[in-house]
Amino acid sequence: DQQVKQNSPSLSVQEGRISILNCDYTNSMFDYFLWYKKYPAEGPTFLISISSIKDKNEDGRFTVFLNKSAKHLSLHIVPSQPGDSAVYFCAASGLGGGADGLTFGKGTHLIIQP
Amino acid sequence: NAGVTQTPKFQVLKTGQSMTLQCAQDMNHNSMYWYRQDPGMGLRLIYYSASEGTTDKGEVPNGYNVSRLNKREFSLRLESAAPSQTSVYFCASDAETEAFFGQGTRLTVV
């Protein structure tokens, strides 16, 4: 039973426009959420995170929004650039980070079209 | 800056063979993890180690064993490889709020 869901396997966006990647979770014990970016043949790299005590976190072109009541978070990338083409994983953990690992979604393949 | 280093990068095994995947981190992190990534499945936790000397099962531990040799090193062993263990394996270490991943080991069991 998936605790972190990314329902869009792929997303195509024109260069310069906004990319919005969505993630839903079911476990109420999750209190820390992260987004990872992955290029082919490389390991995932950390992009941005948000604690459950916040509803928004911004870092340059990347913003993560958290709606706790809906158990939903989203990653906004604006403006989208060709180098943003990658697989994006949503991840969650409990107890403020948790030494017992992250729970990942299945990923969304973002394709930025010129 | 090495970060998390995994060896080997690629491996082909025959069914029933054994092998150990090596992982080392130079960031002085307490927690280390092994994940596998399969097409359409995301990353799934195999085993983790919250600190030197401790290990715990994750979501998919069957067929694997681990050793936390010291604070830097966390190895994953397949005693008798099966085709179902064909996957990409990632080691990670944790700085409490962010996990750092290695480059991955692509393992094929034939």
Side-chain angles (χ1 to χ4, degrees):
Chain A
D1 193 25
Q2 264 202 293
Q3 298 186 70
V4 177
K5 299 178 186 178
Q6 294 178 257
N7 291 320
S8 299
S10 66
L11 176 68
S12 185
V13 175
Q14 209 162 13
E15 182 179 356
R17 299 284 183 100
I18 183 170
S19 295
I20 301 176
L21 292 86
N22 293 304
C23 178
D24 297 292
Y25 63 97
T26 58
N27 189 339
S28 300
M29 298 302 291
F30 288 146
D31 65 354
Y32 197 77
F33 304 90
L34 308 89
W35 285 94
Y36 282 82
K37 178 179 181 179
K38 186 183 180 303
Y39 293 118
E42 294 185 11
T45 54
F46 171 76
L47 195 56
I48 192 168
S49 63
I50 188 166
S51 164
S52 61
I53 61 173
K54 295 186 175 181
D55 55 18
K56 178 182 173 181
N57 188 27
E58 195 171 350
D59 184 2
R61 296 186 298 115
F62 303 93
T63 303
V64 56
F65 295 93
L66 175 62
N67 183 333
K68 278 176 57 181
S69 61
K71 292 192 177 69
H72 176 84
L73 61 155
S74 61
L75 173 68
H76 293 211
I77 306 173
V78 56
S80 300
Q81 298 175 354
D84 296 331
S85 294
V87 177
Y88 290 78
F89 290 100
C90 174
S93 70
L95 298 175
D100 56 351
L102 298 169
T103 301
F104 284 85
K106 292 185 178 182
T108 296
H109 186 193
L110 177 64
I111 302 160
I112 305 300
Q113 295 182 332
Chain B
N1 24 327
V4 179
T5 304
Q6 291 182 236
T7 55
K9 286 189 168 51
F10 302 95
Q11 183 72 48
V12 178
L13 287 179
K14 292 182 179 178
T15 297
Q17 284 186 317
S18 62
M19 81 160 294
T20 300
L21 281 65
Q22 307 287 353
C23 175
Q25 53 97 4
D26 60 4
M27 295 173 281
N28 203 37
H29 292 157
N30 287 318
S31 302
M32 296 185 73
Y33 310 85
W34 278 104
Y35 289 88
R36 61 178 286 175
Q37 186 193 8
D38 301 296
M41 297 294 291
L43 284 87
R44 293 182 293 169
L45 184 64
I46 304 171
Y47 269 93
Y48 66 97
S49 170
S51 61
E52 185 179 349
T54 68
T55 61
D56 283 287
K57 295 178 180 179
E59 181 186 354
V60 288
N62 291 346
Y64 305 96
N65 284 303
V66 290
S67 296
R68 183 73 183 268
L69 304 169
N70 47 55
K71 193 170 187 179
R72 287 188 66 247
E73 298 172 288
F74 188 37
S75 62
L76 178 72
R77 182 159 177 86
L78 288 71
E79 290 291 351
S80 178
S84 61
Q85 294 177 305
T86 292
S87 188
V88 181
Y89 292 84
F90 289 101
C91 177
S93 70
D94 196 289
E96 292 188 0
T97 55
E98 176 185 341
F100 297 83
F101 286 83
Q103 297 266 38
T105 296
R106 184 173 292 275
L107 175 67
T108 302
V109 183
V110 298

